């Protein structure tokens, strides 16, 4: 094929260096990109380590994702297993350990496309819920991969509502065994990762029955496949649950248990135990249980929500300065689409949100670490706040990021829909995060319970956790802004968010009370108010996010222009929130109609300001091309050439077309009857 | 056996779903005919096949081609020729999936029917209708989509041989995305910049053969292939096409309007608005599709929510249906109301188009600008809303919604590109805005405007600020009064955008710059206008419903649609002074009351859409509600379950365990 000419670049080398439209964006950033990267990583040393890990992984062909978009479900699964196995070798080779500073970057470098993630959860649940003896028995086996573990909690009929699980474990005193059963179809375990094809063992959550009495849900270690030939153990029916929107590399599985017997010692018994004579003993605090959930939720905010949003922003923003479409001024060349206000409005607030949520995720991680230390000292007082925080923020961040990633996809026009853009995979994957580890609506309502309780306590003058003390100081007041520049003051917008949060929480609490006082049963009253409660929790989380962003900016160094650009992003995030939910702020007149026009004006001004630094701001996320795996978002911006080259590698082009001989030819030659 | 919960739900409905189905179909006769046609597909073993989700992309394409070919044959056999009847037949056959011949029958054939001379018709139409050739419509290029003037493909006329020479001069000029182009078609209508006598005459359409008849190999000078995997559309071979000095005879230019004479003289068309017709038609189909796709997602989510029990509402009582939770109702019922609203909007546009397109053939184009402006905005408004709504339905099904067996992922990925194709939504909104600003300017200069924008007349003539009329008079239980509130909001936002635009122009910005600086406002104005049109059409529909029980339930849906729209856009209504704080509180309260009122009819309201299970393609949304057993049956067919021990065990797991 003749060498393609292009409009104005691509002469010379294979892909012709960096596209000038992208290069020009990088010429005069207002800040030091390298310094911002270091800030995001939490220090230069971390940046160095991260880059070394990414380099080691990406230079290893076993970890290649080159064919990712062309693989079938079976091929993806096999690749994920191959990578997981190879990773063990790699870690050994590189001297990386599970507790080392490199570990957390491995997942990022692999973009999470690896099997045996549930193996880790399997181990964690044994460490947290198991007795010392159980830990000593199982953990070494798991570490050595003498077995592969999974974690079987969710059933066909029940998810987030754990008390409703239907699997049973009945203690048989004569043989000192538990007999496990999934008594009806809805009790079948459904969704656990790694369980469909890989796992040999799993932690099964089941209703414990001893001498006819139900003691609620407890965890049991159950072997499901032979360690010799991997065939299913007697009484076990297991398999893959079939294709999903994403996670095709994971064998999410189903599991039916028919009179499966496990020894008494297989019930994880740090907190509860069934003694040989059938006595049920409960000891210690079950609250540690919550801690695992909290830890998982806090971690996933960063890995599964914020990072994908950062990637999507990188792809969409780089593409938006390469793509030129229609003219802004007659006679000039077509404009970069990022110069259109509507395109800025789609992407830049989400870029600001990626930063806002990055900082809130750091904040939560710190809070969690502090809480964890306290808990180690047997002080559980922070737990309710931690739990509420992790639930509410898991819900709001995953929900926000999921829809933001979708916006990035749409913002790339038609090409966004090509898998080669990288955006559809980011999109379908992040969508799952709204459901797993607690369905978002239910999590919002868990946080609502905490907030309402705190509000009541605060109103009665009782002490409340630090994050909610603001609820005690309810003061009406109007927004003092006089002109659009006043809205660039963090005090002013933070106050507006706070006002909205207090109003929504207090009015919902009042509504609840009115209902209860009028004779409505507590549970009905709660259900009556749930729509408002969800809105109140969102307002609370957004207030904390804005406040934390503003305080973070305050603490940043002024060198390298970092503080200035972060301040712009903070302003943008805050004002976009007011602009797009204006009713919440106009209601009760905290912000007047005239002030709302000022908000809009300031907000639109900020879009133009941040536009100039948009590319450096995504460059600072420092994703390699291999990590992005996007024909649209590569660092060099050679979008069209790459799209064409990648498409030609598609099996639909490299293999013959069976449909022609079988169907098209008879159709065209009117031999339809033979079809 | 029907699931007991669903049986109870159906027994408790206050109206007869069939009556509502008749309204949606346009009469009992239409319903009967639709069912007849659907039965032809459902009872035909030739159309049975494995769930496409279990197949590879290549297998899916092959299945789709098989089905497309079969459909051609069977439609002919049954003598089905009415476009709507063909549509019923095909959608039953295809479920959520596209067909590779789609563009052959829509764009390829339609363009040849409308843009060719009689001689061209005579030559091409028999070939097209008899499927002796398969064609597609190649407009979009890698570098340009909605902005047509930017297309780069060239067609240069050579008077010496009386041929056009087609070229894709750059990477960005490669045709990219057309459906059926990659593997299926042997002809394409190519849009290219016409050059004759050294001058560029703009975009024109050409019939280009791309593959050899008989062997199906690409012709010399043609590079054609599939653009690779996408978000959805696995069945479709969206393609690329690159042409290098490819020659076609002069007669292959579509010459009903513009012409190139043998010596290269260019004859201008009478009006360039004529080509808008097809675009308007396709966009009106997308509005209908928004309603259709959202209806399907609602059907699945609402039936499943009646079957699924979870957690407790009252201590000690059995787990309630999740549809009893207010948050679940709040997710789903507004979408159900939206699906009905969009259905009526779709029907309205179709009727209007039919009426106006009659006029076009007789040369009366006066209504075309408004229809063009309206369909652009409504296409964007409905596709954005439906897209987000389908997603919400999926999430309302919790984890199982994420499984392909729920059917919603397929609905979603097939529907979502409509936010982009046939005109990128933001660009569409701005087209509507241009019309609104133009109308506003006309009114300001003393002219009157007609049609859906006539509310602008009041705004300017009477100089009445919306707050003075509205605040006292909006009655939250009266759809007609709510239409007025939406009208006031649209007027307020159109005026604000127009004034901001003027202010930018007064800052001595260029016209284009000022427009760009105001575009966020302009999009909002367009959205408000579309929202008004939808509420208005829904409210108007109520008066046509004769059955009291059906009218009552539709009125609730209409109120819910209008009030939810207010509660999600309270800022506009408050800032414009259309509603007070106290009224906003009432709106929110009223929304919750309506959720409770609609609850007993929720299942009957989705039953009324009357989707056959095979068309719905969902285990969660089955009519009989036997969800869990059938999920298990479905999963057993998954490709990963073909062998009990997966080969990965022998290849990777076992060696690893041996080594460690």
């Amino acid at each position: 094929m003749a060498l393609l000419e292009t409009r104005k670049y691509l002469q010379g080398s294979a892909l012709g260096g960096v596209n000038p439209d992208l290069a020009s964006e990088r010429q005069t950033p207002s800040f030091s990109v390298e310094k911002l990267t270091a800030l995001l990583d939490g220090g230069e040393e971390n940046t160095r380590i991260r880059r070394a890990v990414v380099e080691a992984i990406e230079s290893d062909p076993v970890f290649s994702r080159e064919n990712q978009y062309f693989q079938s479900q079976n091929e993806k699964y096999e690749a994920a297993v191959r990578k997981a196995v190879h990773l063990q070798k790699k870690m050994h080779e590189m001297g990386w350990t599970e507790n080392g500073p490199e570990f957390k970057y491995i997942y990022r470098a692999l973009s999470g496309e690896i099997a045996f993630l549930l193996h880790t959860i399997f181990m964690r649940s044994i460490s947290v819920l198991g007795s010392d003896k159980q830990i000593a028995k199982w953990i070494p086996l798991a570490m050595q991969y003498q077995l592969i573990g999974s974690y079987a909690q969710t059933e066909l009929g029940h998810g987030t509502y754990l008390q409703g699980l239907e699997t049973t474990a009945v203690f048989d005193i004569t043989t000192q065994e538990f007999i496990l059963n999934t008594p009806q179809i809805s009790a079948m375990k459904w969704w656990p990762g790694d369980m469909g094809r890989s796992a040999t063992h799993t932690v099964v959550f089941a209703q414990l029955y001893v001498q006819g009495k139900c003691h609620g849900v407890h965890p049991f270690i159950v072997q499901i496949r032979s360690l010799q030939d991997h065939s299913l153990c007697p009484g076990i029916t297991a398999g893959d649950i079939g294709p999903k929107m994403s996670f095709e590399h994971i064998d999410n599985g189903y599991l039916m248990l028919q009179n499966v017997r496990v020894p008494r010692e297989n019930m994880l018994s740090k907190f509860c135990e069934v003694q040989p004579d059938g006595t049920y003993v409960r000891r210690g605090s079950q609250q540690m249980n919550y801690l695992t959930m909290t830890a998982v939720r806090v971690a996933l905010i960063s890995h599964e929500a914020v990072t994908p949003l950062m990637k999507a922003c990188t792809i969409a923003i780089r593409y938006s300065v390469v793509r030129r479409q229609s003219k802004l001024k007659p006679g000039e060349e077509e404009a970069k689409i990022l110069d259109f206000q509507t395109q800025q409005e789609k992407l830049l607030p989400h870029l600001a949100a990626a930063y806002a949520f990055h900082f809130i995720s750091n904040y939560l991680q710190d809070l969690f670490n502090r809480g964890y230390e306290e808990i180690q000292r047997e002080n559980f007082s922070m737990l309710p706040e931690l739990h509420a925080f992790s639930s509410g923020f898991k819900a709001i961040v995953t929900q926000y990021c999921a829809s933001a990633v979708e916006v990035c996809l749409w913002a790339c026009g038609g090409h966004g829909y090509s898998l080669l853009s990288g955006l559809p995979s980011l999109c379908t994957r992040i969508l799952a995060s709204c459901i797993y580890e607690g369905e978002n609506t239910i999590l919002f309502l868990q946080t609502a319970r905490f907030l309402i309780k705190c509000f009541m306590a605060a109103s009665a003058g009782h002490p409340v956790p630090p994050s909610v003390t603001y609820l005690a100081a309810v003061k009406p007041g109007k927004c003092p802004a006089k002109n659009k520049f006043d809205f660039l003051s963090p005090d002013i917008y933070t106050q507006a968010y706070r006002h909205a949060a207090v109003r929504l929480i207090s009015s919902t609490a009042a509504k609840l009370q009115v209902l209860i006082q009028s004779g409505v049963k507590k549970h009905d009253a709660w259900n009556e108010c749930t729509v408002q409660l969800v809105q109140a929790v969102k307002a609370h989380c957004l207030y904390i996010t804005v406040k934390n962003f503003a305080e973070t900016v305050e603490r940043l160094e002024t060198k390298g222009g970092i503080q200035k650009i972060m301040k712009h992003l903070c302003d943008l995030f805050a004002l976009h929130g007011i602009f797009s939910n204006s009713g919440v702020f106009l209601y009760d007149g905290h912000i007047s109609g005239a002030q709302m026009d000022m908000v809009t004006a300031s907000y639109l001004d900020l879009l133009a300001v941040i536009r100039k630094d948009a590319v450096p701001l995504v460059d600072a996320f420092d994703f390699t091309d291999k990590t992005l795996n996007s024909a649209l978002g590569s660092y060099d911006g050679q979008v069209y050439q790459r799209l064409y080259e990648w498409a030609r590698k598609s099996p639909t082009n490299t293999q013959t077309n069976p449909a022609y001989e079988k169907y098209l030819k008879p159709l065209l030659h009117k031999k339809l009857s033979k079809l | 056996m029907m699931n007991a919960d669903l049986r109870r739900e159906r027994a408790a409905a206050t109206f007869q779903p069939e009556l509502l189905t008749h309204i949606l179909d346009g009469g009992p006769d239409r319903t009967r005919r639709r069912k007849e046609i659907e039965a032809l597909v459902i009872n035909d073993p030739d159309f049975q096949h494995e769930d496409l989700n279990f197949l590879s992309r290549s297998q899916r394409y092959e299945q789709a081609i098989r089905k497309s070919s079969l459909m051609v044959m069977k439609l002919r056999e049954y003598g089905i020729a009415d476009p709507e009847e063909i549509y019923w037949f095909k959608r039953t056959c295809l479920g959520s999936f596209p067909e590779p011949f789609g563009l052959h029958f829509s764009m390829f054939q339609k363009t040849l029917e409308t843009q060719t001379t009689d001689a061209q018709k005579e030559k091409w139409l028999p070939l097209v209708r008899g499927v002796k050739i398969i064609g597609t419509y190649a407009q979009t290029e890698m570098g340009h989509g909605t902005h047509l003037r930017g297309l780069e493909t060239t067609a240069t006329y050579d008077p010496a041989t009386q041929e056009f020479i087609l070229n894709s001069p750059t990477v960005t000029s490669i045709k990219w995305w057309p459906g059926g182009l990659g593997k299926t078609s042997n002809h394409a209508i190519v849009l290219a910049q016409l050059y004759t006598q050294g001058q560029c005459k703009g975009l024109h359409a050409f019939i280009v053969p791309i593959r050899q008849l008989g062997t199906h190999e690409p012709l010399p000078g043609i590079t054609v292939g599939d653009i690779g995997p996408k978000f959805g559309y696995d069945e479709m071979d969206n393609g690329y096409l690159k042409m290098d000095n490819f020659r076609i005879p002069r007669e292959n230019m579509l010459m009903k309007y513009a012409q190139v004479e043998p010596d290269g003289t260019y004859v201008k068309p009478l009006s360039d608005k004529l080509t808008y017709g097809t675009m308007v038609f396709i966009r009106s189909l997308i509005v209908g599709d928004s309603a259709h796709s959202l209806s399907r997602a609602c059907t699945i989510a609402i039936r499943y929510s009646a079957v699924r029990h979870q957690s407790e509402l009252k201590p000690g009582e059995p787990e309630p249906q999740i549809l009893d939770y207010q948050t679940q109702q709040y997710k789903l019922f507004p979408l159900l109301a939206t699906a009905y609203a969009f259905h009526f909007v779709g029907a309205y546009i179709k009727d209007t188009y039919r009426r106006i397109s009659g006029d076009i053939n007789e040369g009366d184009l006066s209504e075309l600008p408004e229809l063009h402006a309206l369909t652009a905005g409504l296409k964007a408004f409905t596709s954005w809303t439906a897209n987000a709504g389908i997603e919400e339905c999926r999430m309302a099904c919790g984890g199982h919604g994420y499984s392909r067996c729920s059917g919603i992922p397929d609905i979603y990925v097939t529907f979502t590109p409509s936010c982009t194709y046939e005109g990128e939504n933001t660009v569409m909104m701005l087209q509507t805005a241009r019309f609104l600003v133009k109308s506003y300017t006309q009114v300001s200069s003393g002219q009157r405007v007609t049609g859906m924008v006539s509310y602008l007349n009041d705004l300017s003539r009477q100089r009445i600020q919306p707050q003075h009329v509205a605040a006292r008079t909006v009655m939250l239980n009266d759809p007609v009064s709510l239409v007025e509130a939406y009208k006031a909001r649209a007027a307020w936002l159109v005026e604000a955008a127009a004034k901001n635009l003027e202010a930018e122009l007064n800052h001595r910005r260029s016209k284009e710059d000022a427009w760009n600086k105001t575009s966020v406002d302009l999009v909002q104005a367009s959205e408000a206008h579309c929202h008004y049109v939808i509420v208005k059409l829904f409210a108007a529909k109520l008066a046509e419903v004769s059955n009291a029980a059906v009218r009552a339930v539709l009125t609730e849906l209409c109120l819910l649609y209008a009030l939810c729209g207010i509660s999600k856009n309270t800022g506009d209504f408050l800032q414009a002074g259309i509603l007070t704080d106290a009224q906003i509180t009432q709106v929110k309260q009223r929304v919750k009351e309506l959720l409770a009122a609609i609850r007993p009819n929720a299942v009957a309201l989705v039953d009324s859409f009357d989707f056959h299970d095979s068309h719905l393609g969902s285990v969660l949304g089955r009519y009989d509600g036997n969800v869990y057993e059938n999920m298990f049956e479905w999963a057993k067919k998954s490709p990963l379950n073909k062998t009990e021990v997966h080969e990965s065990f022998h290849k990777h797991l076992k060696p690893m365990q041996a080594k460690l």
Side-chain angles (χ1 to χ4, degrees), chain A residues 192-326:
Chain A
D194 296 336
M195 197 173 76
R197 306 266 80 190
S198 304
T200 59
H201 287 67
T202 184
V203 173
V204 170
F205 282 78
Q207 303 283 358
L208 168 65
Y209 285 86
V210 185
Q211 293 164 345
K213 188 167 181 266
C214 180
H215 292 279
V217 175
H218 289 73
F220 302 84
I221 297 178
V222 179
Q223 180 172 357
I224 58 173
R225 287 192 176 88
S226 151
L227 290 173
Q228 299 311 312
D229 62 5
H230 217 240
S231 62
L232 293 171
C233 295
I236 301 281
T237 309
D240 174 80
I241 63 161
K244 300 142 294 191
M245 270 191 110
S246 181
F247 289 93
E248 286 183 299
H249 62 289
I250 300 282
D251 52 324
N252 296 85
Y254 59 77
L255 172 69
M256 267 203 289
L257 303 158
Q258 281 164 307
N259 293 318
V260 173
R261 289 176 170 262
V262 300
R264 189 181 65 89
E265 293 76 22
N266 277 25
M267 176 172 135
L268 292 177
S269 58
K270 180 161 185 180
F271 301 109
C272 310
E273 193 182 13
V274 177
Q275 293 176 342
D277 65 351
T279 313
Y280 176 77
V281 187
R282 210 177 248 285
R283 60 173 162 255
S285 165
Q286 287 237 41
Q287 287 177 311
M288 281 300 278
N289 234 330
Y290 281 105
L291 199 67
T292 313
M293 255 192 299
T294 305
V296 172
R297 281 174 195 160
V298 168
L300 84 82
I301 290 174
S302 158
H303 295 153
E304 299 296 342
V306 181
T307 305
L309 176 56
M310 287 173 168
K311 286 184 190 173
C313 285
T314 306
I315 295 168
I317 287 175
R318 285 183 183 161
Y319 176 63
S320 295
V321 298
V322 170
R323 179 88 170 171
R324 287 176 175 272
Q325 205 79 177
S326 124

Side-chain angles (χ1 to χ4, degrees), chain B residues 441-588:
Chain B
T441 314
Q442 281 174 342
V443 169
S444 307
S445 64
Q447 287 169 267
R448 284 187 67 78
V449 292
T450 56
M452 289 290 184
V453 287
S454 54
Y455 59 86
L456 294 172
N457 293 326
D458 307 337
L459 188 67
S460 181
R461 199 186 57 232
Q462 303 172 5
R463 285 281 152 221
I464 290 175
Q465 293 305 308
Q467 53 263 46
H468 294 147
V469 255
R472 292 188 308 272
T473 54
V474 176
M475 283 176 295
L476 303 183
N477 270 325
D478 177 7
V480 177
S481 179
L482 293 173
V483 173
E484 291 302 307
Y486 274 90
K487 187 198 267 187
R489 167 185 178 233
W492 183 70
L493 282 168
V494 171
E495 181 162 55
K499 285 190 169 161
N500 287 347
L501 182 62
E502 215 176 279
E504 291 289 347
L505 284 168
N506 291 339
H507 279 89
R508 294 185 305 275
R509 293 191 194 276
S510 75
K511 244 165 71 184
E512 291 77 8
D513 236 6
W515 181 262
N516 187 31
K517 287 270 169 213
T518 322
S519 52
V520 168
D521 300 328
L522 290 162
V523 169
Q524 283 183 328
S526 280
E527 284 177 341
H529 175 70
C530 292
H531 212 156
Y532 153 69
V533 169
I534 295 167
V535 174
K536 182 184 157 86
L537 293 173
F538 199 162
K541 189 75 197 175
L542 299 174
E544 298 171 22
V545 179
S546 54
N547 181 285
V550 173
R551 194 173 53 242
V553 71
L554 277 182
T555 304
E556 283 168 355
L557 285 176
C558 179
L559 285 172
L560 182 66
Y561 180 75
L563 293 174
C564 268
I566 292 175
S567 81
K568 285 180 180 156
N569 296 282
T570 52
D572 293 346
F573 291 91
L574 284 170
Q575 204 181 348
I578 301 162
L579 296 169
T580 62
D581 280 4
Q583 284 174 308
I584 292 292
T585 308
Q586 283 169 28
V587 166
K588 294 191 170 172

Side-chain angles (χ1 to χ4, degrees), chain A residues 363-424:
Chain A
Y363 169 83
L364 291 174
Q365 196 64 59
D366 288 347
L367 195 73
F368 177 79
N369 293 344
R370 262 187 292 139
Y372 188 70
E373 280 170 28
E374 289 300 316
I375 288 163
Q376 300 294 67
R377 284 188 232 121
E378 301 280 310
N379 171 9
F380 294 99
S381 64
M382 272 181 83
L383 209 53
E385 188 187 14
L386 266 184
H387 183 247
F389 253 116
S390 67
S391 305
F393 277 102
K394 183 269 177 181
I396 199 157
V397 178
T398 54
Q399 193 176 63
Y400 191 105
C401 291
S403 62
V405 169
E406 269 182 290
V407 173
C408 290
L409 189 153
W410 298 335
C412 291
H415 296 325
Y417 292 98
S418 169
L419 287 198
L420 308 180
S421 77
L423 290 165

Side-chain angles (χ1 to χ4, degrees), chain B residues 315-372:
Chain B
E317 289 193 11
E319 297 181 60
Q321 293 163 290
I322 57 174
L323 200 55
D324 286 331
Y325 290 94
Q326 190 187 59
T327 44
Q328 188 77 351
Q329 295 168 4
Y330 189 66
K331 282 177 200 170
L332 296 176
F333 296 169
L335 295 172
L336 177 63
T338 304
Y340 273 95
F342 288 0
H343 183 90
F344 298 133
V345 174
Y348 167 82
I349 299 186
K350 210 162 67 182
D351 292 346
T352 313
Y353 174 75
R354 224 174 262 160
R355 184 171 55 77
I356 297 187
S357 62
D359 297 340
I360 292 173
N361 289 341
E362 286 147 31
D364 178 9
L365 303 174
S366 61
E367 280 188 78
L368 199 58
E370 165 155 24
L371 186 68
H372 184 248

Side-chain angles (χ1 to χ4, degrees), chain B residues 20-38:
Chain B
L20 188 45
T21 306
H22 296 160
I23 293 173
L24 293 171
D25 282 329
D29 295 347
R30 304 297 294 156
T31 302
R32 198 176 319 116
R33 180 66 182 144
R34 175 175 58 75
K35 283 177 169 307
E36 272 170 25
I37 285 175
E38 287 173 355

